Amino acid sequence: MGMRVDIATLFPEMCQQVLDTSILGRAAQRGYIETHCHQIRDYTLNRQKQTDDYPYGGGCGMVMYAQPIADCIRAIQAEVAAQGRPAPHIVFLTAGGARYSEEHARRLAGYDSLLLVCGHYEGIDERVIEAFADEELSIGDYILTGGELASLVVADSVLRLQPGVLAEQKGYEEESYWNDLLEYPQYTRPEVWEGRAVPPVLLSGNHKAVDDWRGEQSRERTKLRRPDLWEKYLAAGGWDGTPKPEKPRRRRKKKPDPETAQPAAESAAQPPEAGADAQNC
């Protein structure tokens, strides 16, 4: 039973269509992951199926009710429990959350079940966040009309780390941000496109030379484009690419030949040769 991700949203069809497409869709069909999108509006108690109202204290925009979100979350928790899974880790996608990173993705990928809650309009009644949220996340320093795109970003980045989703683990361990470096440039056929040639080292067949070139490109890209990541990489003990000095080789002492060497005790016991005292005076 693969990892389960639920999304509570006002636009479940929009989210589910993305999750059922391409790599994630194939992984779900094969049972490596499980995704479900839930309509918050189904849990409203008024006839108009209204999910929002004017904010207390005035201001522009509308704020989502706590009640339908809370009841939607409780229903999802019950579904997860019925599968015999542990309670889902609940994340609210809000502009005031911690900025999302690959480190978050790796950590969230360790949960058996993840529930993402999407805000909309001006925001969500803070009381339901206080009651249910394990954490709040933001995918960047900008504002969206709703949390749906943000939830899909988180879901995609987490689910792709699950066993079986990608063809091999190397598929994500060499990509940007995995080790605080940006990924090296990639090329495919043809060898020359509109006068631009593929770097010769990639055609050499020398795997060590290719690895060295890719490492150099990753470090240079990160240093130029993301100095914040570069400093983090170096602080974590990353190698900056400078040639490492060769260690001086130690000369091994030759072992004495047992046939010609005299034991120290025998040598001391023998009398000195004639004239030895005169020579040592």
Side-chain angles (χ1 to χ4, degrees):
M1 188 164 55
M3 182 184 189
R4 171 172 174 153
V5 171
D6 291 87
I7 298 179
T9 169
L10 293 175
F11 302 94
E13 296 83 5
M14 164 188 168
C15 296
Q16 195 66 63
Q17 186 174 5
V18 173
L19 296 174
D20 288 344
T21 304
S22 188
I23 293 173
L24 296 186
R26 291 194 295 271
Q29 291 173 2
R30 295 168 183 164
Y32 295 126
I33 59 174
E34 186 178 337
T35 63
H36 303 274
C37 298
H38 309 263
Q39 174 58 267
I40 294 173
R41 199 178 300 279
D42 291 343
Y43 297 88
T44 56
L45 301 178
N46 56 69
R47 293 180 181 179
Q48 297 79 18
K49 294 293 182 181
Q50 185 178 348
T51 58
D52 61 319
D53 210 334
Y54 296 106
Y56 279 126
C60 60
M62 306 289 277
V63 177
M64 291 182 69
Y65 289 132
Q67 173 270 316
I69 295 175
D71 287 350
C72 183
I73 290 174
R74 292 187 182 107
I76 295 169
Q77 288 174 323
E79 284 186 19
V80 172
Q83 287 186 321
R85 295 177 182 267
H89 184 78
I90 302 176
V91 177
F92 279 70
L93 284 308
T94 66
R99 191 190 299 185
Y100 191 64
S101 69
E102 184 66 25
E103 292 179 5
H104 288 96
R106 283 190 241 178
R107 175 174 56 79
L108 294 177
Y111 288 101
D112 181 77
S113 177
L114 181 65
L115 169 53
L116 306 173
V117 182
C118 304
H120 214 74
Y121 311 121
E122 183 63 20
I124 298 173
D125 190 312
E126 186 68 19
R127 292 169 293 186
V128 73
I129 299 176
E130 293 173 351
F132 289 96
D134 291 309
E135 61 183 305
E136 294 179 65
L137 292 174
S138 166
I139 62 168
D141 297 343
Y142 47 86
I143 303 298
L144 300 171
T145 55
E148 283 71 29
L149 293 176
S151 71
L152 290 171
V153 166
V154 173
D156 187 286
S157 62
V158 169
L159 289 171
R160 67 190 296 277
L161 300 179
Q162 298 303 310
V165 175
L166 297 183
E168 53 181 329
Q169 185 174 338
K170 195 175 181 181
Y172 55 78
E173 287 187 350
E174 290 188 353
E175 291 186 330
S176 296
Y177 308 115
W178 184 259
N179 58 356
D180 295 323
L181 290 176
L182 300 181
E183 188 180 8
Y184 47 81
Q186 299 277 15
Y187 300 86
T188 188
R189 293 180 176 84
E191 290 183 19
V192 179
W193 174 78
E194 295 190 357
R196 299 171 185 267
V198 173
V201 66
L202 299 179
L203 309 175
S204 67
N206 185 331
H207 296 297
K208 184 181 184 308
V210 170
D211 287 342
D212 290 344
W213 180 85
R214 286 174 169 173
E216 180 184 354
Q217 291 293 313
S218 287
R219 291 189 294 272
E220 286 302 315
R221 276 193 167 193
T222 308
K223 192 187 305 183
L224 291 174
R225 300 181 183 183
R226 291 290 303 274
D228 57 324
L229 275 181
W230 179 246
E231 292 301 323
K232 184 180 177 183
Y233 168 75
L234 293 179
W239 178 49
D240 64 0
T242 56
K244 297 179 179 179
E246 294 185 4
K247 294 182 179 180
R249 295 181 179 179
R250 293 183 179 180
R251 293 183 178 179
R252 294 182 178 180
K253 294 182 180 180
K254 293 183 178 180
K255 294 183 179 180
D257 188 341
E259 295 183 0
T260 59
Q262 276 188 325
E266 293 181 11
S267 175
Q270 290 180 354
E273 296 181 0
D277 288 344
Q279 292 175 2
N280 292 334
C281 292

